[in-house]
Amino acid sequence: MKTIRKKVGEENYQMLVALSHKTRAHFEADPEDETQDGIKGRDCIIEMEDILKASTRGKSR
């Protein structure tokens, strides 16, 4: 994620890092996908995608 830090901005970067840690914790808590932690981990990934999409809207690639 450090490679996209400047592109997404510091605030978004910090949110992405925090969500990344939460995602890992959820998946580690549910390695067999038997509890709601797996779903919560996937929700974090979707939230990260939303942040990335919002941070790149209107910017040229």
Short mmCIF file of all heavy atoms in Angstrom, two decimals:
data_model
loop_
_atom_site.label_atom_id
_atom_site.label_comp_id
_atom_site.label_asym_id
_atom_site.label_seq_id
_atom_site.Cartn_x
_atom_site.Cartn_y
_atom_site.Cartn_z
N MET A 1 0.81 -1.19 0.00
CA MET A 1 0.00 0.00 0.00
C MET A 1 0.86 1.26 0.00
O MET A 1 0.36 2.30 -0.38
CB MET A 1 -0.94 0.00 1.19
CG MET A 1 -2.20 -0.77 0.92
SD MET A 1 -3.52 -0.41 2.05
CE MET A 1 -3.02 -1.37 3.45
N LYS A 2 2.09 1.13 0.42
CA LYS A 2 2.94 2.31 0.44
C LYS A 2 3.11 2.92 -0.95
O LYS A 2 3.31 4.11 -1.08
CB LYS A 2 4.31 1.96 1.02
CG LYS A 2 4.26 1.68 2.50
CD LYS A 2 5.63 1.34 3.04
CE LYS A 2 5.53 1.01 4.51
NZ LYS A 2 6.83 0.67 5.08
N THR A 3 2.99 2.09 -1.98
CA THR A 3 3.16 2.59 -3.35
C THR A 3 2.01 3.49 -3.78
O THR A 3 2.18 4.30 -4.68
CB THR A 3 3.32 1.43 -4.35
OG1 THR A 3 2.16 0.61 -4.30
CG2 THR A 3 4.55 0.61 -4.06
N ILE A 4 0.85 3.36 -3.16
CA ILE A 4 -0.29 4.19 -3.54
C ILE A 4 -0.55 5.33 -2.56
O ILE A 4 -1.49 6.10 -2.73
CB ILE A 4 -1.57 3.34 -3.70
CG1 ILE A 4 -1.97 2.71 -2.36
CG2 ILE A 4 -1.41 2.31 -4.79
CD1 ILE A 4 -3.36 2.15 -2.33
N ARG A 5 0.29 5.46 -1.58
CA ARG A 5 0.07 6.44 -0.50
C ARG A 5 -0.16 7.85 -1.04
O ARG A 5 -1.10 8.54 -0.66
CB ARG A 5 1.26 6.41 0.45
CG ARG A 5 1.07 7.20 1.70
CD ARG A 5 2.24 7.02 2.63
NE ARG A 5 1.91 7.46 3.96
CZ ARG A 5 2.56 7.11 5.05
NH1 ARG A 5 3.60 6.30 4.96
NH2 ARG A 5 2.20 7.55 6.22
N LYS A 6 0.71 8.30 -1.93
CA LYS A 6 0.58 9.65 -2.47
C LYS A 6 -0.65 9.79 -3.34
O LYS A 6 -1.29 10.83 -3.36
CB LYS A 6 1.83 10.03 -3.25
CG LYS A 6 3.03 10.28 -2.38
CD LYS A 6 4.22 10.72 -3.18
CE LYS A 6 5.42 10.94 -2.27
NZ LYS A 6 6.60 11.36 -3.01
N LYS A 7 -1.00 8.74 -4.06
CA LYS A 7 -2.14 8.80 -4.98
C LYS A 7 -3.46 8.91 -4.24
O LYS A 7 -4.36 9.61 -4.69
CB LYS A 7 -2.17 7.57 -5.89
CG LYS A 7 -1.06 7.55 -6.91
CD LYS A 7 -1.18 6.33 -7.79
CE LYS A 7 -0.03 6.30 -8.78
NZ LYS A 7 -0.10 5.12 -9.64
N VAL A 8 -3.58 8.22 -3.11
CA VAL A 8 -4.87 8.22 -2.40
C VAL A 8 -4.95 9.28 -1.31
O VAL A 8 -6.03 9.57 -0.83
CB VAL A 8 -5.17 6.82 -1.79
CG1 VAL A 8 -5.26 5.77 -2.88
CG2 VAL A 8 -4.18 6.43 -0.73
N GLY A 9 -3.83 9.83 -0.92
CA GLY A 9 -3.83 10.84 0.14
C GLY A 9 -3.62 10.21 1.51
O GLY A 9 -3.93 9.04 1.72
N GLU A 10 -3.09 10.99 2.41
CA GLU A 10 -2.72 10.48 3.73
C GLU A 10 -3.91 9.96 4.54
O GLU A 10 -3.83 8.90 5.16
CB GLU A 10 -1.97 11.56 4.52
CG GLU A 10 -1.36 11.06 5.80
CD GLU A 10 -0.29 9.98 5.58
OE1 GLU A 10 0.37 9.95 4.53
OE2 GLU A 10 -0.12 9.14 6.50
N GLU A 11 -5.01 10.69 4.52
CA GLU A 11 -6.17 10.27 5.30
C GLU A 11 -6.71 8.92 4.79
O GLU A 11 -6.98 8.01 5.58
CB GLU A 11 -7.27 11.33 5.24
CG GLU A 11 -8.47 11.00 6.10
CD GLU A 11 -9.51 12.11 6.08
OE1 GLU A 11 -9.18 13.27 5.78
OE2 GLU A 11 -10.67 11.79 6.37
N ASN A 12 -6.86 8.81 3.47
CA ASN A 12 -7.33 7.55 2.90
C ASN A 12 -6.33 6.43 3.14
O ASN A 12 -6.72 5.29 3.42
CB ASN A 12 -7.58 7.69 1.40
CG ASN A 12 -8.82 8.49 1.10
OD1 ASN A 12 -9.76 8.52 1.89
ND2 ASN A 12 -8.84 9.15 -0.03
N TYR A 13 -5.06 6.74 3.06
CA TYR A 13 -4.03 5.73 3.31
C TYR A 13 -4.15 5.19 4.73
O TYR A 13 -4.10 3.98 4.94
CB TYR A 13 -2.64 6.33 3.07
CG TYR A 13 -1.52 5.41 3.48
CD1 TYR A 13 -1.15 4.34 2.67
CD2 TYR A 13 -0.85 5.59 4.68
CE1 TYR A 13 -0.13 3.48 3.05
CE2 TYR A 13 0.17 4.74 5.07
CZ TYR A 13 0.52 3.69 4.24
OH TYR A 13 1.52 2.82 4.62
N GLN A 14 -4.33 6.06 5.70
CA GLN A 14 -4.44 5.62 7.09
C GLN A 14 -5.69 4.76 7.28
O GLN A 14 -5.65 3.75 8.01
CB GLN A 14 -4.48 6.83 8.03
CG GLN A 14 -3.17 7.60 8.09
CD GLN A 14 -2.00 6.76 8.56
OE1 GLN A 14 -2.15 5.83 9.36
NE2 GLN A 14 -0.81 7.07 8.06
N MET A 15 -6.79 5.12 6.62
CA MET A 15 -8.00 4.30 6.71
C MET A 15 -7.76 2.92 6.08
O MET A 15 -8.20 1.91 6.62
CB MET A 15 -9.17 5.00 6.03
CG MET A 15 -9.74 6.16 6.82
SD MET A 15 -11.30 6.79 6.17
CE MET A 15 -10.78 7.52 4.63
N LEU A 16 -7.06 2.89 4.95
CA LEU A 16 -6.78 1.63 4.28
C LEU A 16 -5.90 0.72 5.13
O LEU A 16 -6.12 -0.48 5.22
CB LEU A 16 -6.13 1.88 2.92
CG LEU A 16 -7.03 2.47 1.85
CD1 LEU A 16 -6.20 2.96 0.66
CD2 LEU A 16 -8.08 1.47 1.40
N VAL A 17 -4.91 1.30 5.77
CA VAL A 17 -4.02 0.52 6.64
C VAL A 17 -4.82 -0.07 7.81
O VAL A 17 -4.69 -1.25 8.14
CB VAL A 17 -2.84 1.38 7.15
CG1 VAL A 17 -2.07 0.67 8.25
CG2 VAL A 17 -1.91 1.73 5.99
N ALA A 18 -5.66 0.75 8.43
CA ALA A 18 -6.47 0.27 9.55
C ALA A 18 -7.42 -0.85 9.09
O ALA A 18 -7.55 -1.87 9.78
CB ALA A 18 -7.26 1.43 10.16
N LEU A 19 -8.04 -0.66 7.94
CA LEU A 19 -8.93 -1.70 7.42
C LEU A 19 -8.17 -2.97 7.07
O LEU A 19 -8.68 -4.07 7.25
CB LEU A 19 -9.70 -1.18 6.20
CG LEU A 19 -10.86 -0.25 6.52
CD1 LEU A 19 -11.33 0.47 5.26
CD2 LEU A 19 -12.01 -1.04 7.14
N SER A 20 -6.97 -2.81 6.59
CA SER A 20 -6.14 -3.97 6.26
C SER A 20 -5.86 -4.80 7.52
O SER A 20 -5.95 -6.04 7.49
CB SER A 20 -4.83 -3.51 5.63
OG SER A 20 -3.98 -4.60 5.40
N HIS A 21 -5.55 -4.12 8.60
CA HIS A 21 -5.30 -4.83 9.87
C HIS A 21 -6.57 -5.52 10.37
O HIS A 21 -6.51 -6.66 10.85
CB HIS A 21 -4.77 -3.86 10.92
CG HIS A 21 -3.40 -3.34 10.63
ND1 HIS A 21 -2.29 -4.15 10.50
CD2 HIS A 21 -2.96 -2.08 10.42
CE1 HIS A 21 -1.23 -3.40 10.23
NE2 HIS A 21 -1.61 -2.14 10.16
N LYS A 22 -7.70 -4.83 10.25
CA LYS A 22 -8.97 -5.43 10.67
C LYS A 22 -9.29 -6.65 9.82
O LYS A 22 -9.75 -7.68 10.33
CB LYS A 22 -10.10 -4.40 10.55
CG LYS A 22 -10.17 -3.41 11.67
CD LYS A 22 -11.28 -2.39 11.46
CE LYS A 22 -12.64 -3.03 11.43
NZ LYS A 22 -13.74 -2.04 11.36
N THR A 23 -9.05 -6.54 8.51
CA THR A 23 -9.33 -7.65 7.60
C THR A 23 -8.52 -8.87 8.00
O THR A 23 -9.06 -9.98 8.11
CB THR A 23 -8.99 -7.24 6.15
OG1 THR A 23 -9.77 -6.10 5.79
CG2 THR A 23 -9.26 -8.37 5.18
N ARG A 24 -7.25 -8.67 8.21
CA ARG A 24 -6.37 -9.79 8.60
C ARG A 24 -6.85 -10.43 9.89
O ARG A 24 -6.92 -11.65 10.01
CB ARG A 24 -4.93 -9.31 8.75
CG ARG A 24 -3.99 -10.42 9.21
CD ARG A 24 -2.58 -9.91 9.38
NE ARG A 24 -1.99 -9.56 8.11
CZ ARG A 24 -1.19 -10.36 7.42
NH1 ARG A 24 -0.89 -11.54 7.90
NH2 ARG A 24 -0.69 -9.97 6.28
N ALA A 25 -7.21 -9.60 10.86
CA ALA A 25 -7.67 -10.13 12.15
C ALA A 25 -8.94 -10.96 11.99
O ALA A 25 -9.06 -12.03 12.59
CB ALA A 25 -7.91 -8.98 13.13
N HIS A 26 -9.86 -10.48 11.17
CA HIS A 26 -11.09 -11.23 10.94
C HIS A 26 -10.81 -12.57 10.28
O HIS A 26 -11.34 -13.60 10.69
CB HIS A 26 -12.07 -10.43 10.09
CG HIS A 26 -12.75 -9.32 10.82
ND1 HIS A 26 -13.49 -9.51 11.97
CD2 HIS A 26 -12.81 -7.99 10.56
CE1 HIS A 26 -13.98 -8.35 12.38
NE2 HIS A 26 -13.57 -7.42 11.54
N PHE A 27 -9.99 -12.57 9.25
CA PHE A 27 -9.70 -13.83 8.56
C PHE A 27 -8.90 -14.80 9.43
O PHE A 27 -9.12 -16.00 9.38
CB PHE A 27 -8.99 -13.57 7.23
CG PHE A 27 -9.90 -13.03 6.16
CD1 PHE A 27 -9.52 -11.95 5.40
CD2 PHE A 27 -11.14 -13.59 5.92
CE1 PHE A 27 -10.35 -11.45 4.40
CE2 PHE A 27 -11.99 -13.10 4.94
CZ PHE A 27 -11.59 -12.02 4.18
N GLU A 28 -7.99 -14.27 10.23
CA GLU A 28 -7.23 -15.15 11.12
C GLU A 28 -8.14 -15.73 12.21
O GLU A 28 -7.90 -16.85 12.67
CB GLU A 28 -6.07 -14.38 11.74
CG GLU A 28 -4.94 -14.14 10.76
CD GLU A 28 -3.80 -13.32 11.33
OE1 GLU A 28 -3.94 -12.77 12.45
OE2 GLU A 28 -2.77 -13.22 10.65
N ALA A 29 -9.16 -15.00 12.61
CA ALA A 29 -10.09 -15.48 13.63
C ALA A 29 -11.02 -16.55 13.07
O ALA A 29 -11.63 -17.29 13.84
CB ALA A 29 -10.90 -14.31 14.19
N ASP A 30 -11.12 -16.64 11.74
CA ASP A 30 -12.06 -17.57 11.12
C ASP A 30 -11.42 -18.26 9.91
O ASP A 30 -11.89 -18.12 8.78
CB ASP A 30 -13.32 -16.82 10.70
CG ASP A 30 -14.41 -17.73 10.18
OD1 ASP A 30 -14.37 -18.94 10.45
OD2 ASP A 30 -15.31 -17.21 9.49
N PRO A 31 -10.36 -19.02 10.12
CA PRO A 31 -9.66 -19.63 8.98
C PRO A 31 -10.48 -20.66 8.21
O PRO A 31 -10.23 -20.90 7.03
CB PRO A 31 -8.43 -20.27 9.61
CG PRO A 31 -8.80 -20.49 11.03
CD PRO A 31 -9.75 -19.38 11.38
N GLU A 32 -11.47 -21.24 8.85
CA GLU A 32 -12.30 -22.26 8.19
C GLU A 32 -13.60 -21.68 7.64
O GLU A 32 -14.45 -22.43 7.16
CB GLU A 32 -12.61 -23.39 9.18
CG GLU A 32 -11.39 -24.08 9.74
CD GLU A 32 -10.56 -24.76 8.66
OE1 GLU A 32 -11.15 -25.35 7.74
OE2 GLU A 32 -9.32 -24.68 8.73
N ASP A 33 -13.77 -20.36 7.72
CA ASP A 33 -14.96 -19.68 7.22
C ASP A 33 -16.23 -20.25 7.84
O ASP A 33 -17.21 -20.56 7.15
CB ASP A 33 -15.02 -19.74 5.69
CG ASP A 33 -15.92 -18.68 5.10
OD1 ASP A 33 -16.17 -17.66 5.77
OD2 ASP A 33 -16.38 -18.86 3.97
N GLU A 34 -16.21 -20.38 9.16
CA GLU A 34 -17.35 -20.96 9.88
C GLU A 34 -18.10 -19.96 10.73
O GLU A 34 -19.18 -20.27 11.25
CB GLU A 34 -16.86 -22.11 10.77
CG GLU A 34 -16.26 -23.26 9.97
CD GLU A 34 -15.63 -24.32 10.85
OE1 GLU A 34 -15.36 -24.03 12.04
OE2 GLU A 34 -15.42 -25.42 10.35
N THR A 35 -17.56 -18.78 10.90
CA THR A 35 -18.22 -17.77 11.73
C THR A 35 -18.43 -16.49 10.92
O THR A 35 -18.09 -16.42 9.75
CB THR A 35 -17.38 -17.44 12.98
OG1 THR A 35 -16.19 -16.77 12.56
CG2 THR A 35 -17.02 -18.68 13.76
N GLN A 36 -18.96 -15.51 11.56
CA GLN A 36 -19.22 -14.23 10.90
C GLN A 36 -17.94 -13.41 10.66
O GLN A 36 -17.98 -12.42 9.95
CB GLN A 36 -20.20 -13.41 11.74
CG GLN A 36 -21.57 -14.02 11.84
CD GLN A 36 -22.26 -14.09 10.50
OE1 GLN A 36 -22.31 -13.12 9.76
NE2 GLN A 36 -22.79 -15.25 10.16
N ASP A 37 -16.82 -13.84 11.23
CA ASP A 37 -15.58 -13.09 11.05
C ASP A 37 -15.15 -13.06 9.59
O ASP A 37 -14.64 -12.06 9.11
CB ASP A 37 -14.46 -13.65 11.92
CG ASP A 37 -14.54 -13.15 13.34
OD1 ASP A 37 -14.50 -11.93 13.54
OD2 ASP A 37 -14.67 -13.99 14.25
N GLY A 38 -15.37 -14.14 8.88
CA GLY A 38 -15.02 -14.17 7.45
C GLY A 38 -15.83 -13.15 6.67
O GLY A 38 -15.30 -12.45 5.81
N ILE A 39 -17.10 -13.05 7.00
CA ILE A 39 -17.96 -12.06 6.33
C ILE A 39 -17.51 -10.65 6.68
O ILE A 39 -17.46 -9.77 5.82
CB ILE A 39 -19.44 -12.29 6.72
CG1 ILE A 39 -19.91 -13.63 6.15
CG2 ILE A 39 -20.32 -11.14 6.25
CD1 ILE A 39 -21.26 -14.09 6.65
N LYS A 40 -17.16 -10.43 7.93
CA LYS A 40 -16.67 -9.11 8.34
C LYS A 40 -15.38 -8.75 7.62
O LYS A 40 -15.18 -7.60 7.24
CB LYS A 40 -16.46 -9.07 9.85
CG LYS A 40 -17.75 -9.12 10.64
CD LYS A 40 -17.48 -9.20 12.13
CE LYS A 40 -18.77 -9.37 12.93
NZ LYS A 40 -18.50 -9.54 14.37
N GLY A 41 -14.51 -9.73 7.41
CA GLY A 41 -13.28 -9.50 6.66
C GLY A 41 -13.56 -9.10 5.23
O GLY A 41 -12.96 -8.17 4.69
N ARG A 42 -14.52 -9.79 4.61
CA ARG A 42 -14.90 -9.44 3.24
C ARG A 42 -15.54 -8.05 3.18
O ARG A 42 -15.32 -7.30 2.22
CB ARG A 42 -15.82 -10.51 2.66
CG ARG A 42 -15.07 -11.81 2.39
CD ARG A 42 -15.91 -12.83 1.67
NE ARG A 42 -16.94 -13.47 2.50
CZ ARG A 42 -16.72 -14.50 3.31
NH1 ARG A 42 -15.51 -15.02 3.43
NH2 ARG A 42 -17.72 -15.02 4.01
N ASP A 43 -16.30 -7.70 4.20
CA ASP A 43 -16.89 -6.35 4.25
C ASP A 43 -15.80 -5.29 4.32
O ASP A 43 -15.93 -4.22 3.70
CB ASP A 43 -17.82 -6.22 5.45
CG ASP A 43 -19.11 -7.01 5.30
OD1 ASP A 43 -19.45 -7.40 4.15
OD2 ASP A 43 -19.78 -7.25 6.33
N CYS A 44 -14.73 -5.57 5.04
CA CYS A 44 -13.61 -4.63 5.11
C CYS A 44 -12.97 -4.45 3.73
O CYS A 44 -12.61 -3.33 3.35
CB CYS A 44 -12.55 -5.13 6.10
SG CYS A 44 -13.02 -5.01 7.83
N ILE A 45 -12.85 -5.53 2.99
CA ILE A 45 -12.27 -5.45 1.65
C ILE A 45 -13.14 -4.58 0.75
O ILE A 45 -12.64 -3.74 -0.01
CB ILE A 45 -12.07 -6.86 1.05
CG1 ILE A 45 -10.97 -7.58 1.82
CG2 ILE A 45 -11.74 -6.77 -0.44
CD1 ILE A 45 -10.84 -9.05 1.45
N ILE A 46 -14.44 -4.75 0.84
CA ILE A 46 -15.35 -3.93 0.04
C ILE A 46 -15.23 -2.46 0.42
O ILE A 46 -15.21 -1.58 -0.45
CB ILE A 46 -16.81 -4.43 0.20
CG1 ILE A 46 -16.94 -5.81 -0.45
CG2 ILE A 46 -17.80 -3.44 -0.39
CD1 ILE A 46 -18.23 -6.54 -0.13
N GLU A 47 -15.08 -2.20 1.70
CA GLU A 47 -14.91 -0.82 2.16
C GLU A 47 -13.61 -0.24 1.62
O GLU A 47 -13.54 0.92 1.20
CB GLU A 47 -14.93 -0.77 3.69
CG GLU A 47 -15.03 0.62 4.26
CD GLU A 47 -15.22 0.63 5.76
OE1 GLU A 47 -15.59 -0.40 6.35
OE2 GLU A 47 -15.00 1.71 6.36
N MET A 48 -12.56 -1.06 1.59
CA MET A 48 -11.29 -0.61 1.04
C MET A 48 -11.43 -0.30 -0.46
O MET A 48 -10.89 0.70 -0.93
CB MET A 48 -10.21 -1.68 1.26
CG MET A 48 -9.82 -1.86 2.71
SD MET A 48 -8.77 -3.29 2.99
CE MET A 48 -7.21 -2.68 2.35
N GLU A 49 -12.14 -1.15 -1.17
CA GLU A 49 -12.38 -0.90 -2.59
C GLU A 49 -13.10 0.43 -2.80
O GLU A 49 -12.76 1.19 -3.70
CB GLU A 49 -13.21 -2.03 -3.20
CG GLU A 49 -12.46 -3.31 -3.39
CD GLU A 49 -13.35 -4.43 -3.91
OE1 GLU A 49 -14.59 -4.37 -3.73
OE2 GLU A 49 -12.80 -5.35 -4.52
N ASP A 50 -14.10 0.69 -1.97
CA ASP A 50 -14.85 1.94 -2.07
C ASP A 50 -13.95 3.16 -1.85
O ASP A 50 -14.06 4.16 -2.56
CB ASP A 50 -16.02 1.96 -1.08
CG ASP A 50 -17.11 0.96 -1.42
OD1 ASP A 50 -17.15 0.47 -2.58
OD2 ASP A 50 -17.91 0.65 -0.52
N ILE A 51 -13.07 3.07 -0.88
CA ILE A 51 -12.13 4.17 -0.62
C ILE A 51 -11.22 4.38 -1.82
O ILE A 51 -10.99 5.52 -2.25
CB ILE A 51 -11.30 3.89 0.66
CG1 ILE A 51 -12.20 3.95 1.89
CG2 ILE A 51 -10.14 4.88 0.79
CD1 ILE A 51 -11.55 3.42 3.17
N LEU A 52 -10.71 3.29 -2.37
CA LEU A 52 -9.82 3.41 -3.53
C LEU A 52 -10.54 4.00 -4.73
O LEU A 52 -10.01 4.88 -5.42
CB LEU A 52 -9.23 2.04 -3.88
CG LEU A 52 -8.21 1.50 -2.90
CD1 LEU A 52 -7.91 0.04 -3.19
CD2 LEU A 52 -6.95 2.34 -2.93
N LYS A 53 -11.74 3.54 -4.98
CA LYS A 53 -12.52 4.06 -6.12
C LYS A 53 -12.81 5.55 -5.93
O LYS A 53 -12.66 6.33 -6.86
CB LYS A 53 -13.82 3.28 -6.27
CG LYS A 53 -13.62 1.89 -6.83
CD LYS A 53 -14.93 1.14 -6.87
CE LYS A 53 -14.72 -0.30 -7.28
NZ LYS A 53 -15.98 -1.07 -7.19
N ALA A 54 -13.21 5.93 -4.74
CA ALA A 54 -13.54 7.33 -4.46
C ALA A 54 -12.30 8.23 -4.57
O ALA A 54 -12.40 9.37 -5.02
CB ALA A 54 -14.16 7.47 -3.08
N SER A 55 -11.16 7.71 -4.19
CA SER A 55 -9.95 8.53 -4.19
C SER A 55 -9.39 8.71 -5.59
O SER A 55 -8.59 9.61 -5.82
CB SER A 55 -8.88 7.94 -3.28
OG SER A 55 -8.40 6.73 -3.80
N THR A 56 -9.80 7.88 -6.54
CA THR A 56 -9.27 8.00 -7.90
C THR A 56 -10.29 8.58 -8.88
O THR A 56 -9.97 8.79 -10.04
CB THR A 56 -8.80 6.63 -8.43
OG1 THR A 56 -9.89 5.70 -8.41
CG2 THR A 56 -7.66 6.09 -7.60
N ARG A 57 -11.50 8.83 -8.44
CA ARG A 57 -12.51 9.43 -9.33
C ARG A 57 -12.05 10.80 -9.80
O ARG A 57 -11.57 11.62 -9.02
CB ARG A 57 -13.85 9.58 -8.60
CG ARG A 57 -14.62 8.33 -8.64
CD ARG A 57 -16.06 8.57 -8.21
NE ARG A 57 -16.62 7.27 -7.90
CZ ARG A 57 -16.98 6.86 -6.70
NH1 ARG A 57 -16.89 7.67 -5.68
NH2 ARG A 57 -17.42 5.65 -6.51
N GLY A 58 -12.18 11.00 -11.07
CA GLY A 58 -11.84 12.31 -11.64
C GLY A 58 -10.36 12.53 -11.86
O GLY A 58 -9.97 13.58 -12.35
N LYS A 59 -9.53 11.55 -11.53
CA LYS A 59 -8.10 11.68 -11.74
C LYS A 59 -7.69 10.92 -12.98
O LYS A 59 -8.19 9.84 -13.25
CB LYS A 59 -7.31 11.15 -10.54
CG LYS A 59 -7.51 11.95 -9.28
CD LYS A 59 -6.66 11.39 -8.17
CE LYS A 59 -6.85 12.18 -6.89
NZ LYS A 59 -6.06 11.65 -5.80
N SER A 60 -6.77 11.46 -13.72
CA SER A 60 -6.25 10.75 -14.89
C SER A 60 -5.27 9.69 -14.45
O SER A 60 -4.55 9.85 -13.47
CB SER A 60 -5.51 11.73 -15.81
OG SER A 60 -6.40 12.71 -16.26
N ARG A 61 -5.27 8.62 -15.18
CA ARG A 61 -4.34 7.54 -14.85
C ARG A 61 -3.06 7.68 -15.59
O ARG A 61 -2.88 8.13 -16.59
CB ARG A 61 -4.95 6.18 -15.18
CG ARG A 61 -6.08 5.87 -14.26
CD ARG A 61 -6.61 4.53 -14.59
NE ARG A 61 -7.82 4.31 -13.82
CZ ARG A 61 -8.22 3.15 -13.44
NH1 ARG A 61 -7.56 2.07 -13.75
NH2 ARG A 61 -9.31 3.01 -12.77
#
